[in-house]
Amino acid sequence: MSVEINFDGLVGPSHNYAGLSHGNLASDKNRGRVSNPRAAALQGLGKMRRLMDLGLTQGLLPPHERPYIPALRAIGYGGSDGKVLEAAYQDSPEMVANISAASAMWTANAATVSSGADTGDGRVHITPANLVAMPHRSLEARQSYVALSTIFADDAHFKVHQPLPANGLFGDEGAANHNRVSGGHGQKSLSLFVYGKDGLGPKPDLKFPARQSLQASQAVARSHGLSQDATLYVPQSAEAIDAGAFHNDVVCVTNENVVFFHEAAFADVAAFEDQVKAKGAALGFDPVFLMAKRKDMALPDVIRSYLFNSQLITRPDGAMNLILPVEAQETVSAKAFVDECLAGDNPVDEAHYMDLRQSMSNGGGPACLRLRVQVSEAQKQAIHSGVMMTLEKIGRLEEWVKTHYRDRLSREDLGDPKFLTETRTALDALTQLLELGSFYDFQRTGA
Ligand code: SUG
């Protein structure tokens, strides 16, 4: 018996709008807006609660320590942690914004995960993403490794790899550019790796950065022991990247044999469908393509609505459901496509719209907020129980958020040592709630 667990990122107390991600239209547009970290975290917990109500198994990945003082020490700031923060803020508020982003909430970028049905040794293989494309996100790789190797510590069942070398040739953004297509959870799948650039080829002619490299995807597949018949490397379309699809999961999501996507997602959509069909046939399944055409839905609507950044899930009774952002309900072409899918002859039979506006305003929809991990029952039992959710634990986390999080945060707050202390008090309490021990740098150094 195999089960899919969604590990959602718990939004950290420093959630803010710093406009750090060029090519991510929402991040660009909302630069400088006052954020509401409390609402952001409660919206995320609300999504976890909803998925549990639908019968799914839910896990959580803790926020990272932000503002991250070791990153400022590494570039020459010294003195007490408070002094380090103040001095850096005085020199460059922009720098402090980079070391304060709560971007670890988007756990689809935490790692690439291969299930035991796909790997050479039957273990779940996990490679934390190096996220080198964006400086604020590259800071996540180290703590993601710590978190994942704490949570998936049992090496009879799990193998957590080191992140790939931290350079653009191996630019790796994790599961956001990786999808499994299969005959059902627990069965051997076709791994779809979608990349924006060939790091050894000519420089792509793009307005916005292509983040994922072909070489990174190949390296992950190699170290996870995936077989060649079960992997496909697909170029993302330049058109999608330049319209704001900085990750493939903004234009495509799969679940079991269903591929839900936009016509502009891939450079050559006909070749894509043919290859998935051919490889699927060899693996014993027939893919179902649910594709929105350009003529029915233009790319700006795709990006505005984040329709394809929905979660496509299988409920315990086998029904497939979509978990969508409310922006998809509010965008006429997106809602029409969902309704057409629900009415059509395919496995998707219900849609749930959720308010995730705080995260969406930084370009993170339902699918960005979760890392999918498929496990057997024995593997599930081997996961650190502290991060596995129950409705009661979600309730306690909601109380924790209400105690520790601000409902307004602006750039100036990030440079304030009082805010630093506040975030650490919150994370200290969180590690107790989740039974994680000394999990953060500040807890280990006692600074
Ligand atoms: O990497 N936004 C994130 C959003 C990530 C969404 N993830 C997936 N599509 N899987 C990013 O661009 C914005 C932070 C800021 O501007 O303050 C940010 O990092």
Side-chain angles (χ1 to χ4, degrees), residues 16 18-21 24 27 109 136-137 176 211 247 249 362-363 368:
N16 73 97
L20 300 175
S21 285
N24 167 343
S27 157
N109 304 118
H136 69 292
R137 301 224 58 185
R211 299 198 197 181
H247 290 133
D249 70 359
N362 252 338
C368 302

Side-chain angles (χ1 to χ4, degrees), residues 148-340:
L148 293 163
S149 41
T150 303
I151 294 167
F152 301 99
D154 185 339
D155 61 6
H157 292 295
F158 308 110
K159 171 68 191 169
V160 180
H161 299 263
Q162 288 286 345
L164 295 176
N167 62 65
L169 176 56
F170 296 106
D172 180 16
E173 300 274 320
N177 298 295
H178 172 244
N179 265 304
R180 304 177 78 242
V181 196
S182 72
H185 292 333
Q187 295 182 27
K188 182 166 172 169
S189 74
L190 174 61
S191 268
L192 287 181
F193 287 97
V194 185
Y195 61 93
K197 60 178 178 187
D198 175 348
L200 296 174
K203 202 171 167 322
D205 180 22
L206 290 167
K207 182 167 74 165
F208 292 148
R211 299 198 197 181
Q212 180 78 29
S213 84
L214 169 62
Q215 287 71 23
S217 301
Q218 289 169 330
V220 168
R222 202 178 296 122
S223 46
H224 289 195
L226 305 183
S227 59
Q228 271 189 10
D229 63 318
T231 45
L232 193 59
Y233 300 96
V234 190
Q236 207 183 345
S237 78
E239 182 191 355
I241 294 173
D242 278 349
F246 52 97
H247 290 133
N248 179 248
D249 70 359
V250 176
V251 281
C252 175
V253 64
T254 70
N255 186 52
E256 301 191 34
N257 64 339
V258 177
V259 186
F260 183 68
F261 68 114
H262 189 264
E263 188 178 10
F266 306 104
D268 183 342
V269 77
F272 165 74
E273 289 195 355
D274 286 348
Q275 287 170 318
V276 175
K277 271 190 219 148
K279 292 217 168 192
L283 290 165
F285 67 85
D286 257 340
V288 173
F289 297 109
L290 300 179
M291 181 180 85
K293 296 207 172 113
R294 284 186 186 85
K295 71 172 176 53
D296 297 323
M297 190 177 190
L299 269 172
D301 272 6
V302 174
I303 305 301
R304 189 175 307 122
S305 68
Y306 260 42
L307 168 63
F308 300 100
N309 197 258
S310 52
Q311 283 177 257
L312 187 52
I313 56 162
T314 305
R315 293 172 62 168
D317 64 3
M320 264 195 218
N321 287 188
L322 280 166
I323 313 293
L324 300 130
V326 282
E327 285 79 352
Q329 195 171 25
E330 295 163 355
T331 306
V332 174
S333 58
K335 174 76 168 49
F337 186 65
V338 173
D339 290 344
E340 188 189 315

